[in-house]
Amino acid sequence: MTNQAPGRILILVKPDAVERRLTGEILRRVEAKGYDLVALKVVTPTPELLAEHYAEHIAKPFYPSIVEYMTSGPVVAAVASGHRVVEGCRSLMGPTEPTLAAPGTIRGDLGRDWGTDAMKNLVHGSDSDESAAREIAIWFPELV
Ligand code: IDP
Ligand code: MG
């Protein structure tokens, strides 16, 4: 039997979560599920970095509010590793809207609608292996 190489995911603990002192709680859940943290840093993103990261959203009406949200303070960027880590972490995080995310998920347990233009939902996780490779190169160029 051959072992496949483990996958990787980019995780961002977003500024609302850092401000609420939830970094440890969020990364604890990733570790408790069994994934390895293989890189970690604190960074306040620039609009230029976000334009790369959120390239798929640039034309959307809520894009300026995302930039305002994501540049409002430091984020904790992490790379986690493990078999099917993208699926596993997206499942841990729950769907985009925190109001509707199921209890048991990070967004469902810890998030809510604060009436802001940008949807504050605590955490980002790459949505595919291809997105993960692209996003890890943006946030951790030293790893590539
Ligand atoms: P995801 O983070 O669950 O992958 P995406 O659709 O990739 O969700 O959206 C990226 C981020 O943009 C979301 O996490 C959220 O913070 C914000 N966002 C998404 N849709 C909306 C919206 O309709 N209004 C305001 N902000 C949004
Ligand atoms: Mg996304």
Side-chain angles (χ1 to χ4, degrees):
M1 197 172 81
T2 56
N3 264 339
Q4 289 178 316
R8 297 200 298 178
I9 186 172
L10 178 82
I11 295 169
L12 300 176
V13 180
K14 294 183 176 184
D16 53 328
V18 173
E19 188 182 354
R20 291 175 56 202
R21 292 357 188 220
L22 292 171
T23 303
E25 170 63 18
I26 289 169
L27 296 181
R28 184 196 68 73
R29 291 179 183 218
V30 172
E31 282 198 296
K33 192 167 169 79
Y35 299 121
D36 295 320
L37 291 176
V38 297
L40 194 62
K41 68 167 82 159
V42 180
V43 44
T44 301
T46 61
E48 291 73 28
L49 184 110
L50 290 169
E52 278 194 75
H53 175 76
Y54 279 134
E56 64 174 319
H57 296 304
I58 281 181
K60 298 194 180 155
F62 57 83
Y63 182 71
S65 68
I66 297 186
V67 176
E68 190 187 357
Y69 165 36
M70 293 296 293
T71 58
S72 66
V75 311
V76 176
V79 177
S81 162
H83 297 287
R84 301 179 67 188
V85 68
V86 167
E87 289 166 276
C89 284
R90 294 278 294 189
S91 167
L92 277 182
M93 290 172 191
T96 310
E97 273 216 46
T99 302
L100 303 178
T105 65
I106 290 168
R107 288 163 167 172
D109 284 348
L110 306 173
R112 51 163 284 194
D113 190 333
W114 300 92
T116 51
D117 287 339
M119 199 183 285
K120 292 189 174 180
N121 56 6
L122 303 162
V123 70
H124 167 83
S126 315
D127 62 12
S128 67
D129 291 342
E130 294 70 32
S131 301
R134 191 184 73 81
E135 294 171 4
I136 289 167
I138 294 168
W139 292 83
F140 291 92
E142 65 274 20
L143 288 188
V144 179

